[in-house]
Amino acid sequence: MNDSVREAWGLLPDYLGQHVILSVSALLLGVAVSLPLGIAASRSRRFGTPLLAAVSVVQTIPGLALLALFYPLLLALSVLTQDLFGFSIRALGFLPALLALTLYAMLPILRNVVTALAGLDPAILMAAKGVGMTPRQSLFKVELPLAAPLVLAGIRTATVWVVGITTLSTPIGQTSLGNYIFTGLQIENWVFVLFGCVAAAALALVLDLLLAVAGSGLAMRSRGRLIAAGLGLVAVIAAALAPELAHPRPAHQGIVIGAKNFGEQYILSQLMASRLRQAGFSVSEKSDLGSTIAFRALTAGDIDAYVDYSGTLWGNILHRTDMPGRQAMLDQLAAALKKDHGIVSLGSLGFENAYIFAMRRDRAEALHIKSLADLAAHPDLRIGGDFEIFSRPEWRAVAAAYGLGAMKRRQYQPDFLYRAVMSGDADVVSAFSSDGRIARYGLVILEDPKAALPPYDAMLLVGPAHAQDAKFIAALKPLIGSISLTLMQQANLRVDRDQDKQTPAATAAWMDQRLPH
Amino acid sequence: MIEILQLSKAYAGSGTQAVSDFNLSVPEGEFLVLIGPSGSGKTTTLNMVNRLVEPDGGEIRIQGRNVLDSDPVMLRRNIGYVFQEAGLFPHMTVAENIAVTPNLLGWDQARIRTRVHQLLDMVQLEEAAFANRLPVELSGGQRQRVALARALAARPPVLLLDEPFGALDPVTREAVAADVRRIHQRLGLTTLMVTHDMTEALLMADRIAVMRDGRLIQVGTPHELAASPADDFVTQLIENPRRRAHALAEMLNA
């Protein structure tokens, strides 16, 4: 068994357990909300028609977007509850995921409840009234039992959807089987991606099968089948929760280290976590956070520390477009973050992960392109970027400085950028200076003679809760100024390369030995 | 004893008067058949007796008590009702269907079991073979017998039947009709039955009430109707089965 598979197996109890808790909670909540709403909707067209329309609209929102939308919503709510009642709700992780998934679960259940109740034979309803049932008795003794098979079919649909979409809750900080997929995609570990997909599909199939047995039990009026399905469901849920219950995680007094969604961030968060553990802290990690979600999570206290880049914060958080120079930018950032958000910057780790633009060497030489300025002469070239670059101020600055606004753009998952430029799908790609693959693939970095791109020093940020925590800061301080660009490139390559691929944890351990304590 | 006084009903929207100025007295134990063409208001009248339809005006007294003063749910539990096409609950077995009203009334289970046994016996369905079947596993005639048993389960003093044989083939129809008549004679319940088939009415009724356009045209025993029909409409109704019987007899004897 290779390392990836072994590591994937090792993570399964945690990922599966959390996935099951989230999916099952969302489904139970979905059923609990949809049944009464469905009954009400079938009684009143004026309530039912807009309700079904609203729920259908929710369904058209892409899953990832819906999950992401709940984060700012809960964040605002959290600020409100903090002001009103003196406590804040957690805006990241379980709660937003639960709410979004519950909304997803509602449509198929609601629709089937309404369809089933509306489709009942009026003669049967008349008979229920005629034998002397109250409206309530008619509902519980006649209408719901007759609607049950169709309602159960709706629950089965919802189950398959929700178990699948739960994998998308990873980027908002909720651990799920999606962690395999997101992490695997970032570090090109296809074993991880496949493992996550297969595990989620298997879970969906098992739950669907058990509900199918329950359905046939209802149809055949077989108590045995119903009991078997019930026991099966309880067994699956218990098995998924067993590791959690057997080793309850310390009631989250511990430190949470955040990581954005790429390899370097995984490595650095592991490194920070290991330093804090060595200092006696209890630490967990939240990976795969979206770029700005990570910063918001730090301000809200959902994570306690993470690494961000000066140029990113400059544009996204301070909304500045001027270029005061490397050290001035670091100083002004530190002051602004402290003043506006109570966040402490411990300083630069010592390397920069800058946005750069790169080309295949042979192509660049053939076209005599050395710098961004040379690109203007080739308006037919295609430029590939990650998901954010073209909407970031850096691109606007570069495009304006060098007249590149008309270039044909394509967006790729960051790791596919290298494949795209090597295969010729893109002529120029955006890349990150600390990426070990630039040297490995022999790409040429295009010069930036007008200094349109800002510096991107890696800064270690600590949230308000530990801003004054001397022991906490002492554990991380030795990392400041000690990670060279070469070391980070080597570390990134260990995770990103195709052969002898290392896990972020193993790479963090490898780095740990090479850094001062 | 059922007394209906000045009963009227108009359906909102259609604007037509479904029932108007309806007066009728049904003595204890009588089998009265309401007959008339489609839309004559006979089913509406029947449904007002147990308040499945609420009257606009008038009174209905059962054993002296105005049904409009009683709780409609309790009222319905005390009136047996056999619906067109049976209306059995498809998710309940024969025994469960029969036990519905006793269960609603809170009878104890032993008493319910005994009652179900009695009723299956009364409608001539063998308990061992039928008690645990679902309605889909029954023939039309069997379903109507179960519906009859369900209507009688809580020993109601009044039985209402709404075209109970409408969906049955002629042979089954006659057999179930004979059963209904036999059970009526045995239990002596005051019975109202709606039909549009005059032959059926003539064969089953103690008295027949003829309706047209929401009004009661004439009430009388089959003999009275035949001897002195109130108008041409009643004459036609009575003559029709007689003419057909005549035509049949001639044809078969020829």
Side-chain angles (χ1 to χ4, degrees), chain B residues 35-42 195-196 210-213 233 237:
Chain B
I35 192 167
S38 306
S40 60
K42 53 193 191 302
T195 182
H196 57 257
V210 182
M211 287 188 77
R212 190 181 55 182
D213 298 335
F233 176 67
L237 272 180

Side-chain angles (χ1 to χ4, degrees), chain A residues 296 313-322:
Chain A
R296 305 240 171 277
L313 295 167
W314 192 252
N316 285 356
I317 308 300
L318 268 52
H319 306 292
R320 301 264 299 257
T321 48
D322 55 319

Side-chain angles (χ1 to χ4, degrees), chain A residues 123-135 137 141-143 145-146 219 221, chain B residues 47 50 52 73 76-77 79 83 87-93 96 100-101 104 134 150:
Chain A
I124 299 293
L125 302 183
M126 184 75 145
K129 200 173 171 187
V131 298
M133 289 189 188
T134 61
Q137 286 167 335
K141 288 175 191 289
V142 177
E143 295 168 58
L146 288 175
R221 299 166 57 88
Chain B
N47 286 346
N50 73 347
L52 283 174
V73 169
R76 290 178 201 128
R77 290 178 189 173
I79 296 177
F83 295 85
L88 294 179
F89 300 123
H91 61 301
M92 297 183 189
T93 61
E96 287 166 343
V100 163
T101 308
L104 292 174
L134 288 172
R150 183 176 72 180

Side-chain angles (χ1 to χ4, degrees), chain A residues 409-423:
Chain A
R409 302 169 195 170
R410 287 186 177 186
Q411 293 185 310
Y412 298 90
Q413 165 77 16
D415 287 83
F416 293 149
L417 277 169
Y418 296 97
R419 312 247 151 142
V421 74
M422 292 315 286
S423 66

